[in-house]
Amino acid sequence: MTVHADAGARDDRVRRVTILGSTGSVGQNTVDLLLRNREAFEVEALTANRNPERLAEQARALGARFAAIADPAHYTALKQALAGTGIETACGAESVVEAARRPATWVMAAIVGAAGLAPTLSAIKRGVIVALANKEALVCAGVLVMQEVARCRATLLPVDSEHNAIWQCFDRARVDAIERIILTASGGPFRERNFEDMRGVTPKEAVAHPNWSMGAKISVDSATMMNKGLELIEAHHLFQLPLDRVEIVVHPQSIVHGAVVYRDGSVLAQLGSPDMRTPIAYALAWPDRIEAPTKRLDLAAVGSLTFEPPDERRFPALRVAREALIHGGCCPTVLNAANETAVHAFLEGRIGFLQIVETVERTLDRIPEGKLESLDDVYNFDTAAREVAARLSGIRASPRAPGLTDLR
Ligand SMILES: NC(=O)c1ccc[n+]([C@@H]2O[C@H](COP(=O)([O-])OP(=O)(O)OC[C@H]3O[C@@H](n4cnc5c(N)ncnc54)[C@H](OP(=O)(O)O)[C@@H]3O)[C@@H](O)[C@H]2O)c1
């Protein structure tokens, strides 16, 4: 994880904030915290894809300077909703990148999917604090993103609850003393289903996560456990640890979010109610802490916490993601793009639940392995993987993640 010692000190007293993906689940939780802590923050820019009403409402409530909507079809609605407010508006994938380039000192990267990569990189290039929820950016271009973080002296703060938990327990001054890190997984809604019974799972069942309220894509990823596979890759890049020092444990209560195991056998863990406002608040105020209105943990009421190993026979996504990282090069990019396409096809009712991971594996088999040395390579492998996965899923290919165009 890249946290520069002077990063907190460099920040202004009133933090100027931009939220990329403010209308989504993480984005709305961030807006909620900003509204509760108005005196400590001012808002530079907010972005959305297809929800001009919510974007306009947030921009008004927070007094944002700039509101960008990626899909131009919704620009008129945004302009009308913000007429007379003095809030600047723009549309298109490039306007989201422009939002990331504006002078905020803290940027929340909360766009879903590889579409978040270009704007996230634009914020990183400004050398500011980037709170990263958009795990797909690290999965599809991890080495390149981390190189940019170091080159531009940006500060990358993990928002994913597991990585945020590990970060809170991770002694950066004594990395040598760290043996391994532990990511917990809820196991998703089908933790106890047998493999064959998962064949008929509907999108509605798959998005109904037992503990967390999240966007549709990450909810399906949690149900297949691809989410934990993506997080394994994310953790490897953030904490710069080899795979054999990143452990995954299923913990159905989602109370222990992550832990760090030290050489002397000590295990430091972070606990809390499953509410994203805790990790977001930690990143938002870092290195301070602010009030978050989350349900306080009552350990006696929780009673017992249980842990079990993941079952990779029923949830092959974990193995597929691990193998993609071991193969390296373009494989994680292909994994991510194929998964985004297959999840989309599943949500559209075009493929079954078990076909999601099958499609990812078949796409990986069909695309010859190659090196990932530039953002052009990311763009090309992402596009190729989307085409293959779309063909396998019987849907029309979305040629690339919208937003990736800006990498060229
Ligand atoms: N939700 C969670 O609790 C949680 C926890 C940990 C990590 N994460 C990660 O955080 C990221 C966001 O997750 P989420 O659950 O908040 O997703 P979400 O609810 O689906 O929201 C996604 C956001 O991205 C915007 N967006 C979608 N496609 C876009 C595009 N092509 N260009 C520009 N903006 C686009 C959406 O705009 P519209 O609203 O206009 O469509 C929305 O603001 C994901 O990477 C996820 O894995 C989420």
Side-chain angles (χ1 to χ4, degrees):
M1 175 192 25
T2 306
V3 173
H4 295 294
D6 60 341
R10 268 195 334 231
D11 204 9
D12 301 334
R13 278 184 77 81
V14 174
R15 206 162 251 193
R16 205 193 285 192
V17 168
T18 282
I19 308 173
L20 305 170
S22 63
T23 49
S25 166
V26 171
Q28 288 180 77
N29 279 321
T30 312
V31 168
D32 179 74
L33 289 167
L34 291 173
L35 287 171
R36 291 169 192 272
N37 295 276
R38 290 300 298 269
E39 68 298 336
F41 303 95
E42 54 188 45
V43 175
E44 179 62 35
L46 300 175
T47 81
N49 188 30
R50 292 184 178 151
N51 194 340
E53 293 82 14
R54 186 174 291 156
L55 178 62
E57 187 189 310
Q58 293 175 332
R60 280 174 182 269
L62 289 167
R65 295 187 174 91
F66 182 68
I69 191 135
D71 187 337
H74 299 279
Y75 187 46
T76 306
L78 179 67
K79 266 199 309 196
Q80 281 169 358
L82 289 176
T85 60
I87 299 169
E88 272 181 74
T89 55
C91 70
E94 62 289 349
S95 73
V96 179
V97 170
E98 187 190 335
R101 288 198 181 121
R102 290 178 67 112
T105 50
W106 188 97
V107 178
M108 165 59 82
I111 290 174
V112 63
L117 176 61
T120 301
L121 272 174
S122 296
I124 288 171
K125 282 179 198 295
R126 291 190 47 253
V128 295
I129 301 175
V130 177
L132 186 82
N134 177 215
K135 67 191 86 183
E136 295 91 347
L138 268 191
V139 174
C140 73
V143 173
L144 301 172
V145 169
M146 296 311 285
Q147 276 169 2
E148 280 303 279
V149 169
R151 190 179 70 80
C152 305
R153 293 191 60 75
T155 300
L156 204 56
L157 305 181
V159 170
D160 227 340
S161 59
E162 297 78 359
H163 306 71
N164 187 278
I166 290 165
W167 170 40
Q168 295 195 38
C169 304
F170 198 94
D171 187 345
R172 291 186 293 281
R174 290 181 186 76
V175 176
D176 289 356
I178 292 171
E179 199 173 272
R180 64 198 153 90
I181 57 176
I182 300 174
L183 297 171
T184 57
S186 69
F190 312 126
R191 184 175 57 90
E192 291 178 314
R193 290 253 178 122
N194 72 45
F195 189 75
E196 278 310 313
D197 288 348
M198 282 191 262
R199 207 166 283 289
V201 158
T202 64
K204 193 168 167 215
E205 288 175 286
V207 296
H209 195 279
N211 304 340
W212 298 93
S213 161
M214 310 182 285
K217 193 261 179 185
I218 184 177
S219 298
V220 175
D221 284 347
S222 298
T224 59
M225 287 197 77
M226 181 59 85
N227 184 46
K228 219 42 62 176
L230 302 179
E231 288 181 8
L232 183 72
I233 299 173
E234 182 187 14
H236 160 75
H237 291 296
L238 279 174
F239 299 102
Q240 303 279 295
L241 289 174
L243 263 188
D244 61 354
R245 290 169 68 193
V246 184
E247 184 183 342
I248 291 174
V249 177
V250 174
H251 166 48
Q253 298 83 19
S254 298
I255 297 290
V256 177
H257 302 298
V260 178
V261 182
Y262 284 87
R263 275 163 71 183
D264 60 6
S266 299
V267 181
L268 302 193
Q270 186 261 359
L271 287 71
S273 301
D275 185 324
M276 281 306 289
R277 287 176 299 182
T278 293
I280 295 170
Y282 187 62
L284 188 56
W286 179 84
D288 296 327
R289 287 191 188 254
I290 48 168
E291 186 73 21
T294 56
K295 186 165 174 254
R296 294 319 193 236
L297 196 55
D298 178 346
L299 283 174
V302 171
S304 62
L305 299 175
T306 60
F307 302 90
E308 63 200 43
D311 181 346
E312 293 192 11
R313 204 181 35 80
R314 283 186 304 130
F315 295 99
L318 270 178
R319 170 187 55 74
V320 175
R322 188 183 310 104
E323 287 172 1
L325 183 58
I326 291 168
H327 285 290
C330 70
C331 294
T333 316
V334 171
L335 171 98
N336 181 67
N339 183 57
E340 284 189 32
T341 308
V343 169
H344 177 69
F346 168 69
L347 287 170
E348 298 269 294
R350 305 300 292 269
I351 61 171
F353 181 73
L354 293 181
Q355 283 172 281
I356 298 172
V357 180
E358 280 169 23
T359 302
V360 174
E361 217 171 354
R362 288 172 68 197
T363 306
L364 280 159
D365 285 344
R366 275 165 207 218
I367 297 207
E369 282 182 32
K371 290 189 181 156
L372 204 69
E373 290 174 335
S374 67
L375 290 171
D376 259 359
D377 294 340
V378 175
Y379 174 94
N380 289 332
F381 283 115
D382 177 276
T383 305
R386 277 171 209 274
E387 280 167 7
V388 171
R391 227 177 7 255
L392 291 170
S393 310
I395 59 170
R396 214 152 34 94
S398 88
R400 70 192 70 84
L404 273 191
T405 330
D406 297 287
L407 293 178
R408 304 204 103 178

